[in-house]
Amino acid sequence: MNSEKLFELLKKYDEGQCTAQELNELEAWYTALDKKQVGFLVPPGSEQAATITRQKLAELKARLHIAVEPEQATTVVGHIPWRRISVAASITLLLGLGAWFTTLSLSNSRIKNPAIIAQHTGTDALPGANKASLTLADGRIIILDSAAVGKLAEQGGSDVLNQGNGIAYTGSDGAAEIVYNTLATNRGEQYSLTLSDGTRAWLNAASSIRYPVAFIGNERKVEITGEVYFEVAPSIVNTSSGRGDIVSEAKQKRPFMVQKGDMQVTVLGTHFNVNAYDDETDIKVTLLEGSVRVQVPSLRERGLRGEAIIKPGQQATVIPGPDPESIKVINNADIDQTMAWKNGRFHFTGADIQTVMRQLGRWYDMEIIYEGKPPADKFGGMISRNMNLSNVLKILNLSGIKYKIEGKKLIITT
């Protein structure tokens, strides 16, 4: 494999875009590393271009197997060699791209001798896909997938177009009345949406967004559940003209609002993520660009801090329920971790096993069951969301996680 091809595949892997055939090519390349001199690992002529010598390659591989005795480099875990298991989690580490996973609180001795603790008594689970359901104003439901491409319907004077991995509304804001649609993903699904004003929204698994097909009046408001990432258009675009005309100054300044229960996020033009799953302990609003205002009126009524304006790199957290707390602002939010789901990865930093499993359960549509007390270890790392569940679990298995699969149940054992 020449260097240009290798770099292309590694980049696609890091972005979660590799096909099964390309993953096999990368695995073949990786398993042959110790059998040949590796040349350029980045395109010749780039700033990072350098020949990796056998000595440097050995140093990199040592980092991958630092906790494994040399004679145990092919120890079998669940009938799969350690070396083969390491491929998916380690390829990009060779280029410093950060595909890794570790148990933060474990000693090296715990993983020097991996045991056969992975059990599969049911079928594997495929990764999530670009699928969703669209509920129209009259109650009709359209199941969206890559096969249903093209015009789906007309709603409130706008055409609804399915683009394979997202839908878009083409039309103007000249409608006389507000007409609502709802886009929803199940567990194991994700989809994107382009609203009539040009704002884009990406839905994670088990999420929904209710929105007007055309915005009328002095505000742009949507309602969400689950997790949604927004890139809000700072001005209203007349998409029906085909010219991208900017309309009046008054419309440009119409705020965009995201509602989740009692919480409201207000923006004029920005990029931000809202994680508001009902099974999480808090709601997180993380800002990448621009400025947003987070408001929770019920907190103000209790005499608590019920409003915060956050800047890029900050995260506002809200604890809903009967025992709420003031809005808290984290100044140095982990943007990479927040955006990992949209970029095709799981990313954990000091996460407990319940946090890890909630994400896996949503993406692979699995019910998580704990036999005994859940492990108290903390985990950190990144894993591609394009893997089958069994491959992800094999990586976790190396960190000491014991599990078994029974149909749609993922059972964590102690």
Side-chain angles (χ1 to χ4, degrees):
M1 187 188 309
N2 61 41
S3 58
E4 289 85 358
K5 175 67 172 178
L6 174 60
F7 183 79
E8 177 186 355
L9 291 185
L10 287 169
K11 185 173 184 296
K12 289 182 68 175
Y13 177 85
D14 187 53
E15 296 172 347
Q17 299 297 321
C18 275
T19 65
Q21 180 178 348
E22 289 168 340
L23 286 174
N24 287 336
E25 291 180 46
L26 282 175
E27 181 175 349
W29 167 79
Y30 178 83
T31 56
L33 284 179
D34 59 350
K35 299 178 182 178
K36 64 180 180 180
Q37 176 72 26
V38 177
F40 288 102
L41 290 184
V42 292
S46 68
E47 293 182 2
Q48 298 84 11
T51 301
I52 303 299
T53 63
R54 184 170 294 278
Q55 179 182 357
K56 289 182 178 180
L57 178 61
E59 292 173 358
L60 287 170
K61 294 177 70 176
R63 289 172 60 191
L64 301 181
H65 302 281
I66 191 168
V68 182
E69 300 294 341
E71 67 272 16
Q72 295 172 335
T74 56
T75 299
V76 173
V77 181
H79 307 295
I80 305 295
W82 163 285
R83 183 181 180 83
R84 184 178 179 87
I85 294 171
S86 301
V87 172
S90 304
I91 288 175
T92 52
L93 179 57
L94 293 173
L95 291 183
L97 295 177
W100 47 273
F101 202 88
T102 184
T103 309
L104 301 180
S105 61
L106 296 180
S107 64
N108 283 350
S109 61
R110 178 168 173 179
I111 56 176
K112 282 184 178 180
N113 294 284
I116 302 177
I117 54 180
Q119 300 179 44
H120 292 270
T121 58
T123 59
D124 196 1
L126 298 176
N130 287 314
K131 294 181 64 177
S133 63
L134 174 65
T135 302
L136 302 177
D138 60 5
R140 284 183 295 152
I141 297 177
I142 300 175
I143 303 302
L144 306 171
D145 56 34
S146 58
V149 176
K151 182 176 177 179
L152 299 175
E154 183 176 330
Q155 294 282 282
S158 296
D159 288 335
V160 186
L161 305 178
N162 186 25
Q163 300 167 328
N165 59 358
I167 58 173
Y169 287 76
T170 61
S172 67
D173 284 348
E177 61 178 345
I178 297 179
V179 175
Y180 286 94
N181 283 183
T182 299
L183 181 68
T185 57
N186 290 320
R187 293 160 65 91
E189 298 179 350
Q190 64 182 13
Y191 224 68
S192 68
L193 163 69
T194 302
L195 296 167
S196 62
D197 67 336
T199 292
R200 299 197 65 189
W202 286 261
L203 280 68
N204 201 350
S207 303
S208 71
I209 178 171
R210 180 177 182 266
Y211 52 92
V213 299
F215 293 107
I216 300 173
N218 296 322
E219 66 182 28
R220 299 173 285 166
K221 186 175 182 179
V222 301
E223 302 170 34
I224 72 160
T225 65
E227 185 167 21
V228 184
Y229 169 69
F230 290 92
E231 293 184 355
V232 177
S235 59
I236 307 300
V237 179
N238 184 349
T239 56
S240 65
S241 70
R243 299 189 302 272
D245 301 329
I246 303 299
V247 299
S248 70
E249 183 71 16
K251 285 190 176 181
Q252 288 184 47
K253 293 184 177 179
R254 290 192 300 180
F256 188 95
M257 292 180 284
V258 177
Q259 190 85 29
K260 163 60 180 176
D262 189 36
M263 186 200 71
Q264 181 171 283
V265 181
T266 305
V267 305
L268 288 175
T270 189
H271 298 181
F272 65 102
N273 189 80
V274 181
N275 183 319
Y277 286 110
D278 290 336
D279 61 353
E280 297 291 347
T281 57
D282 52 14
I283 298 173
K284 297 182 179 71
V285 180
T286 309
L287 185 64
L288 282 73
E289 295 181 14
S291 178
V292 304
R293 179 188 296 111
V294 180
Q295 296 172 294
V296 184
S298 62
L299 293 181
R300 289 200 302 267
E301 295 171 1
R302 294 170 178 247
L304 301 172
R305 181 185 183 184
E307 180 174 325
I309 296 177
I310 60 174
K311 300 176 181 179
Q314 292 183 327
Q315 181 181 84
T317 64
V318 177
I319 299 179
D323 299 312
E325 298 179 6
S326 295
I327 295 176
K328 297 180 180 179
V329 176
I330 299 172
N331 289 322
N332 297 306
D334 191 335
I335 301 299
D336 288 339
Q337 179 175 324
T338 298
M339 296 307 301
W341 71 269
K342 182 178 175 293
N343 296 326
R345 305 185 190 94
F346 297 106
H347 187 161
F348 305 106
T349 303
D352 58 29
I353 187 64
Q354 292 96 330
T355 298
V356 173
M357 290 301 154
R358 280 197 298 270
Q359 291 197 31
L360 295 185
R362 292 186 200 114
W363 187 235
Y364 293 98
D365 190 16
M366 300 291 289
E367 178 186 357
I368 308 300
I369 297 174
Y370 297 92
E371 288 187 350
K373 186 177 180 180
D377 300 309
K378 301 295 184 180
F379 300 89
M382 290 193 295
I383 304 175
S384 170
R385 288 186 9 145
N386 282 356
M387 294 182 184
N388 284 4
L389 176 60
S390 60
N391 291 329
V392 173
L393 292 174
K394 288 167 189 172
I395 296 173
L396 295 178
N397 180 219
L398 295 176
S399 293
I401 295 299
K402 302 178 182 180
Y403 69 92
K404 56 185 177 182
I405 296 175
E406 295 180 357
K408 297 293 290 184
K409 295 180 180 179
L410 172 56
I411 302 170
I412 307 302
T413 62
T414 57

